[in-house]
């Protein structure tokens, strides 16, 4: 176990305990978060559409609100606003009234679900059209109506598609769980070739899906996420695997295993390593019991001298077991 954990760490995979090696070696289903896990999480703004507001104002308002969020979508919007030089203070609706206070207005930013729950109408046709192109649509509204739409698109890395294929060929079921809408989720699931997808999930729904659906059906579940909106699911899964431990501080805390880089190709390696580790553990136990047993029996007719017992039965056996374990460091991602 120590050999496996050390070797994994050298290859950029931090395993927080030997129980997770044992658990991973027998897991049959992997659940993946979408944004930032299956996709790169480097979202690009593709469309900005102001409704009776200028595009510039929409971006400012959006960036102002999103500066409170850690979500990849939020980061993309804030960055875009900074790049275009129209940041925060530009929102003219926030007026300081000297000697009295500040008058603000209510703005909302979020997905269709949020606006449905707020009973604010939005242009469904435009939204559907953008989603069909694989884009995620964000609506911006004031207290009464939608005043703008921003669409973002994420890239799917080549490594993602390869890694998912590799996992599938190892007999592992792969499922995507996402808070994004059904149309965008379907487009992305199809592109990646993942076995199944579940969309429109709130963080709590992700937990429920793991507990009530995947765990019941497959026994134990591994969940892979980046920690944004999926920390509860990471914590609930039998093995929570966090991506991109460098540069993020939420995920590694709740996860059992952390991948130092945003690199899903470490997952097949992790499975191979855990399986081989469990084999080595079994081999070592069997060798130990056999040798000790044979030595114990052969002691009675007087075949075993003290030196034989020390050189083979004790020290020799320890060395064999250690050397056998050290083979694990030969496994490479
Ligand atoms: P995923 O499962 O793909 O990582 P999340 O649960 O993080 O998705 O988010 C689900 C959806 O909720 C997003 O696709 C987006 O529509 C909306 N959303 C979440 N956070 C924000 C935000 N800060 N600004 C706008 N929309 C957001
Ligand atoms: Mg996420």
């Amino acid at each position: 176990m120590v050999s496996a954990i050390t070797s994994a760490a050298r290859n950029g995979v931090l395993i927080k305990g030997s129980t997770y090696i044992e658990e991973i070696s027998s897991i049959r289903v992997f659940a993946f978060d979408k944004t930032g896990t299956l996709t790169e999480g480097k979202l690009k703004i593709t469309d900005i559409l102001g409704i009776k507001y200028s595009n510039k104002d929409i971006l400012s308002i959006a960036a102002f609100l999103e500066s409170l969020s850690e979500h990849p979508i939020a980061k993309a919007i804030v960055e875009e606003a900074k790049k275009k030089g129209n940041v925060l203070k530009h929102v003219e609706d926030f007026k300081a009234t000297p000697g009295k206070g500040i008058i603000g207005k209510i703005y909302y930013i979020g997905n269709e679900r949020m606006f449905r729950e707020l009973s604010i109408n939005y242009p469904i046709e435009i939204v559907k059209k953008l989603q069909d192109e694989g884009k995620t649509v964000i609506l911006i509204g004031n207290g009464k109506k939608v005043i703008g739409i921003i669409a973002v698109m994420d890239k799917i890395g080549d490594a993602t598609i390869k890694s998912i294929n590799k996992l599938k060929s190892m007999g592992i079921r792969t499922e995507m769980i996402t808070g994004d809408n059904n149309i965008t989720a379907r487009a992305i699931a199809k592109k990646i070739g993942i076995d199944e997808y579940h969309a429109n999930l709130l963080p709590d729904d992700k937990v429920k899906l793991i507990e009530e659906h995947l765990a019941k059906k497959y026994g134990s579940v591994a969940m892979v996420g980046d920690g944004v909106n999926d920390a509860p699911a990471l914590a609930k899964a039998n093995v929570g695997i966090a991506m991109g431990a460098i540069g993020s501080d939420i995920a590694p805390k709740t996860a059992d295993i952390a991948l130092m880089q945003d690199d899903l190709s470490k997952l097949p390696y992790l499975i191979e390593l855990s399986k081989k580790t469990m084999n080595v553990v079994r081999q070592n136990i069997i060798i130990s019991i056999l040798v000790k047993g044979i030595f114990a029996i052969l002691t009675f007719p007087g075949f075993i001298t003290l030196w034989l017992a020390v050189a083979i039965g004790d020290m020799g056996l320890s060395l064999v077991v250690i050397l056998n374990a050290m083979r694990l460091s030969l496994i490479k991602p």
Side-chain angles (χ1 to χ4, degrees):
M1 291 296 187
V2 171
S3 176
I5 290 176
T6 325
S7 168
R10 220 176 288 129
N11 289 306
V13 181
L14 299 183
I15 306 173
K16 287 197 189 163
S18 51
T19 46
Y20 303 117
I21 296 181
E22 194 169 355
E23 192 102 44
I24 275 282
S25 71
S26 63
I27 267 176
R28 284 158 54 217
V29 62
F30 269 64
F32 293 88
D33 180 51
K34 176 174 76 67
T35 313
T37 304
L38 289 173
T39 63
E40 286 181 353
K42 288 184 207 114
L43 297 145
K44 287 244 151 52
I45 312 274
T46 54
D47 307 74
I48 301 176
L49 182 72
I51 301 168
K52 287 195 194 144
Y53 275 66
S54 72
N55 293 357
K56 202 173 160 190
D57 279 348
I58 288 301
L59 186 59
S60 296
I61 294 168
F64 180 77
L65 297 169
E66 293 290 15
S67 61
L68 300 169
S69 169
E70 279 286 302
H71 201 275
I73 292 177
K75 287 186 187 155
I77 290 176
V78 171
E79 223 162 76
E80 178 82 4
K82 276 192 190 142
K83 208 168 71 194
K84 291 207 174 142
N86 47 340
V87 245
L88 327 181
K89 62 180 195 293
H90 195 79
V91 181
E92 50 192 55
D93 286 325
F94 291 84
K95 277 199 200 83
T97 315
K100 290 185 197 160
I102 295 168
I103 297 173
K105 264 196 178 173
I106 293 178
Y107 287 110
Y108 300 104
I109 184 160
N111 52 19
E112 286 174 280
R113 182 198 202 119
M114 182 173 169
F115 281 75
R116 270 199 306 272
E117 281 167 11
L118 289 165
S119 306
I120 298 176
N121 289 328
Y122 58 89
I124 293 180
E125 290 311 313
I126 301 177
V127 170
K128 285 243 146 54
K129 194 181 152 278
L130 290 165
Q131 287 171 344
D132 267 334
E133 295 162 20
K135 296 168 182 168
T136 297
V137 177
I138 295 111
L139 302 166
I140 299 101
N142 60 21
K144 296 177 209 103
K145 54 186 192 304
V146 166
I147 57 172
I149 296 174
I150 293 180
V152 297
M153 183 116 109
D154 206 352
K155 260 205 268 164
I156 299 164
D158 289 340
T160 298
I161 299 177
K162 268 194 213 129
S163 306
I164 294 294
N165 266 327
K166 187 95 186 278
L167 287 176
K168 282 164 70 177
S169 73
M170 293 170 110
I172 289 185
R173 185 164 176 85
T174 54
E175 303 205 359
M176 176 171 101
I177 60 180
T178 176
D180 210 344
N181 73 87
N182 201 52
I183 302 177
T184 313
R186 187 179 53 206
I188 288 171
K190 202 171 150 205
K191 226 171 170 180
I192 295 175
I194 207 155
D195 288 318
E196 202 178 317
Y197 72 91
H198 310 268
N200 286 318
L201 301 174
L202 297 176
D204 276 351
D205 301 330
K206 293 184 183 176
V207 175
K208 262 191 224 135
L209 188 98
I210 285 181
E211 260 184 323
E212 289 167 19
H213 176 65
L214 296 178
K216 273 210 186 109
K217 209 161 156 194
Y218 300 99
S220 79
V221 187
M223 161 83 201
V224 191
D226 63 353
V228 182
N229 287 350
D230 55 23
L234 282 177
K236 193 76 209 177
N238 299 80
V239 184
I241 303 174
M243 297 274 293
I246 293 174
S248 145
D249 43 45
I250 331 162
K253 273 191 215 126
T254 37
D256 308 313
I257 296 177
L259 309 181
M260 297 313 286
Q261 263 91 34
D262 275 330
D263 184 2
L264 289 179
S265 70
K266 293 289 162 66
L267 294 178
Y269 159 73
L270 184 61
I271 290 167
E272 193 192 346
L273 180 72
S274 69
K275 287 204 154 106
K276 293 215 167 126
T277 304
M278 293 320 291
N279 277 340
V280 166
V281 167
R282 267 177 233 118
Q283 287 162 5
N284 281 353
I285 290 173
I286 291 169
I287 296 170
S288 304
I289 290 176
L290 274 182
V291 171
K292 297 271 184 195
I294 290 169
F295 268 60
I297 292 166
L298 292 184
T299 310
F300 292 108
F303 288 136
I304 306 295
T305 64
L306 181 62
W307 288 114
L308 266 183
V310 172
I312 298 176
D314 192 70
M315 208 42 163
L317 186 58
S318 299
L319 287 176
V320 167
V321 163
I322 291 170
L323 288 175
N324 192 26
M326 281 171 68
R327 287 190 306 134
L328 291 171
S329 64
L330 299 177
I331 304 169
K332 290 274 174 284

